[in-house]
Structure formats: structure tokens, C-alpha cells
Amino acid sequence: MPLPEPGFADPVAESQRAFRALLDAIAHPGRIVDIPGPAGRPEGLSIAQSAIALALLDGDTPVWLAGPCASARPWIAFHTGAPAAPRPDGARFAFAEAGELPAPGAFDLGTDAYPDRSTTLIIETPGLAAGGNALLSGPGIAGTTRATLPLPRAFFAARAELAELFPRGLDLVLTDGARALALPRGTRVEGA
């Protein structure tokens, strides 16, 4: 069996760069950031998804991989030690492509006492762009901003229904190649 593709050449420094870029996206919902990628990446994950996996996953973070992302399982296990979650609701992180995504309610939404235990979804969404038909508002956004969010309207409608459960909910990181845009659970999305 061949060895998995390499990860970060300098794991500490490159993980920190990827983590800082992701934090910038989370602090500024709707802002597209570049996520520096690893030296190699597996089939099934984009550059940004690969970098996020290396920066966030460890042996205590169950991960669920949908559709083509599942082919990255050996690479993730080798580089991070993250255990596989058998179902979406058992994952702290879930990696998927836009067309392979279950309904938001299929994931762990956390509890009132521990909302941070919800699943964070990292979704590859080709066509992600600033501007567009989706109107974003909420914490971290001065007024409103617009973005093109290539996910089905039904997904955002189902996610909006979860808003009444706040602080429970789902945080989303949408990726497109080496770029990422974050939609924390408090971000309202209209017109997507």
C-alpha cells in the first residue's frame, strides 16, 4: 500500500497560518480568504479542505466524510489520527461536496450546555464568490454583505429553521479550491 500524500512541510507554522486564515473568515462572515494548503493533498479534498483538516483534526475529533471526500480517509487518519464517525451526528467535523450533503438536522447541533460540541461542516462549493444573490447579516458583519453561495436553497431554509435553537446550531465553512468563506451559526442567509 503506498504512503499517503504528504501534509504540511512545516506542520507547526503551516497549521498556524491555515488556522489564522480560517479564524479571519469566521470573524468576518462572508469574507473570502485564501487558506494556504499542504505540500500534498488526497483525492477527494480541495486544497482548503486539506489544510483545514490538518489544522483542526486530531485523535479526539471524530470526522465524517461524505461522497468523494471519503477517499481521503487514509490520508486524514495518517496525518491527524482523527477517528471516523459512522454517522453525521457523531462527527465534530464533516467534509462534503455541495451535492453530497445531508439535511442540516442530520448533524450534531450541540446542546444548550455545550453548543461547541456541534458539527462543523466544511463543504466544497465550486463557484463561491463575493457579491451575488445571498444576503448575509449577523455578528461580524457591518450591516449586510452579499455572496454567491452555491448550495441548494432547501439547505439554507432547513438551516434557518435551526436558528430558534441558538446557541445550538451548525457552523459552515464553504471552500472553493484554496479559498474559504465561513458562515457561523449566528449568520443569517437570505435569498441563497
Side-chain angles (χ1 to χ4, degrees), residues 2-16:
L3 286 175
E5 288 292 322
F8 287 135
D10 181 347
V12 173
E14 291 180 65
S15 288
Q16 289 173 344

Side-chain angles (χ1 to χ4, degrees), residues 62-65 84-94 102 106-108 119:
V63 63
W64 184 74
L65 304 166
R87 297 185 333 258
D89 63 353
R92 294 286 70 89
F93 294 93
F107 297 97
D108 187 344
T119 305

Side-chain angles (χ1 to χ4, degrees), residues 30-57:
R31 175 185 290 178
I32 296 176
V33 301
D34 291 321
I35 304 280
R41 67 180 178 88
E43 284 290 318
L45 294 183
S46 69
I47 293 167
Q49 285 179 312
S50 299
I52 291 167
L54 292 174
L56 298 182
L57 300 180

